[in-house]
Amino acid sequence: MKDLPVKFWKKRGHFVINAARVGLSVNHGNFATENEAIAEAEKLKAKFVLGRDVKADEKPKLFSIAQAISEYLANQILLQKKPYHEGQKFNLSLLAVVKFDGLSLGKQQIERFGRKSEREDFRTCIELAIKNEGQSIETMHTRRKHWSKFFTFAAGKGWIDANPITDIKLPKKSKKDDRAPKVQKEFITWLQTDGLDAYSAAYAKAAELVLADGRKGYKKRNELTISPNKLEVMMILSMTTGLRQGELRALRRCDYSSNKQKITTRLAIDHGTQDLGDVKTDTGQDREIEVPSEVCAMLDAWLAESKFKAFDDLVFPSTVGTPLRKNDFSQACKPIRAACPFVDEDTGKPLHFLWGDLRHAFASNLIDQLGANWAEVAESMGHTNANFTRKQYGHYIEDDEKSARKREAAANILVKRKGRL
């Protein structure tokens, strides 16, 4: 007897069996996956031929993509820091809802996508899903990275024969996609001198205008939740220590030693939360940062005025002692952007100030002092490796290096003769 055909019923959104040969409906059953429908079709066929129920042979456990993702994440959480794991979890949740043949991937058996016959169509589906999302090129590559790592894990487990999306094609990333290369050296120099005062003054003026609105402008008034004095100390501390925003928000009194003039980065705010967690990288965890004496004096004065005096209280808390929100920083940057006289070299548009530019200023100063000693710069920045540091900040010195190499090359061309050069 021939096998009972299985098909996907688009109108109903599930798989069915054409069981007319065994006296049942042509659209028999309601199965979430093709493999479930095939297994049931085999049972119906065997029962019809033999006249009794037949226990199915033991087969390896079949995983839907949703189940496979769940097992993958359970494995990965043991290997990763929470912020990265949350990002991975989010990206894989987007994979689970991508539709292939009218059905979400999360509901389909993962072994299907290891088959050669399905691979090309599946790869095209994934390419379109990433591109049609309308995100930046950087985000596209982030999606592919997380999705590809998942399928590589699945192949290692034997759920599929091979990673089906290794060859998907996306627009190439450019160095200009990163923020750091966009930050011109002249802008950083200005930020370290007149720029900081200009920003502070612009923010203070904006804060005065907002507060002057009184209760009638309650919503607008609360858009600027950081006082000008606090903002100035935070900006200077960030610029002179290279603290990440999350590290600054999680900085506690016990992490700062006025006598030793040092800060130890023990905690950071977990991405997308208000929770205290680990620092972004292992290298950045528990790193000691030297704080200039002038900055220590400012920080000591700020702490003396703060109403939060406990050993583990935050240095820069909200008015109720909790960590500042990320949105507080976004709102703080808006009124001071107009003070920036620089434009983006690529687009000609104003070069908007971002809080991370203060960390870039710290990196620029380090490179001026240490040169291309990328290992030492990486250690001070809390980067995982020196190659990443060079990729991010090499543009600060590469122009000078290029000019020197060109002059040397030109000099070598000259033929030195007696009585001449």
Side-chain angles (χ1 to χ4, degrees), residues 82-96:
K82 186 178 177 182
Y84 184 86
H85 184 74
E86 290 298 319
Q88 190 175 56
K89 186 177 178 181
F90 170 73
N91 279 279
L92 290 175
S93 71
L94 298 179
L95 173 65

Side-chain angles (χ1 to χ4, degrees), residues 262-373:
K262 285 186 177 182
I263 283 174
T264 304
T265 55
R266 297 189 177 94
L267 297 170
I269 301 298
D270 283 340
H271 181 69
T273 73
Q274 290 291 92
D275 302 329
L276 298 175
D278 291 333
V279 175
K280 186 176 182 180
T281 63
D282 288 334
T283 310
Q285 186 71 50
D286 296 324
R287 76 184 188 278
E288 290 192 340
I289 303 173
E290 289 74 19
V291 184
S293 57
E294 298 85 353
V295 179
C296 283
M298 289 185 66
L299 195 53
D300 291 341
W302 167 255
L303 290 172
E305 295 177 3
S306 176
K307 65 180 181 180
F308 299 99
K309 305 288 187 182
F311 179 73
D312 59 350
D313 275 343
L314 296 173
V315 174
F316 301 108
S318 68
T319 54
V320 293
T322 56
L324 292 170
R325 301 169 304 154
K326 189 173 183 179
N327 190 52
D328 294 329
F329 287 81
S330 300
Q331 296 296 338
C333 290
K334 287 180 180 179
I336 58 182
R337 284 177 179 168
C340 179
F342 291 87
V343 296
D344 188 301
E345 291 177 336
D346 295 325
T347 65
K349 295 180 180 179
L351 185 65
H352 286 169
F353 168 76
L354 299 177
W355 192 268
D357 294 341
L358 299 169
R359 180 168 159 84
H360 297 326
F362 173 73
S364 174
N365 187 53
L366 274 181
I367 293 165
D368 284 343
Q369 300 298 317
L370 302 175
N373 187 346

Side-chain angles (χ1 to χ4, degrees), residues 58-59 102 199 255 260 305 316 327 359:
E58 286 295 323
K59 293 183 179 179
Y199 281 174
D255 301 325
K260 294 181 179 179
E305 295 177 3
F316 301 108
N327 190 52
R359 180 168 159 84

Side-chain angles (χ1 to χ4, degrees), residues 31-52:
F31 304 96
T33 67
E34 184 179 20
N35 282 325
E36 289 176 8
I38 291 172
E40 181 61 23
E42 290 174 354
K43 290 181 184 179
L44 290 174
K45 175 184 171 183
K47 182 178 179 180
F48 182 80
V49 172
L50 300 176
R52 58 183 175 84

Side-chain angles (χ1 to χ4, degrees), residues 2 10 47 61 177 203 208 255 290 319 330 348 356 390:
K2 292 183 179 180
K10 289 187 179 181
K47 182 178 179 180
K61 184 178 179 181
D177 292 332
Y203 182 83
E208 286 177 7
D255 301 325
E290 289 74 19
T319 54
S330 300
R390 193 186 192 291

Side-chain angles (χ1 to χ4, degrees), residues 54-119:
V54 178
K55 187 176 181 180
D57 294 334
E58 286 295 323
K59 293 183 179 179
K61 184 178 179 181
L62 296 174
F63 279 86
S64 69
I65 283 190
Q67 290 171 315
I69 287 174
S70 180
E71 182 154 328
Y72 171 66
L73 290 174
N75 172 274
Q76 295 295 295
I77 197 171
L78 303 174
L79 309 174
Q80 299 164 348
K81 291 185 178 295
K82 186 178 177 182
Y84 184 86
H85 184 74
E86 290 298 319
Q88 190 175 56
K89 186 177 178 181
F90 170 73
N91 279 279
L92 290 175
S93 71
L94 298 179
L95 173 65
V97 298
V98 171
K99 290 195 173 181
F100 185 72
D101 282 349
L103 188 66
S104 298
L105 291 180
K107 296 180 179 180
Q108 302 194 50
Q109 295 295 333
I110 192 170
E111 61 89 19
R112 174 184 183 184
F113 304 105
R115 300 175 196 160
K116 269 190 174 181
S117 58
E118 300 278 10
R119 211 168 288 168

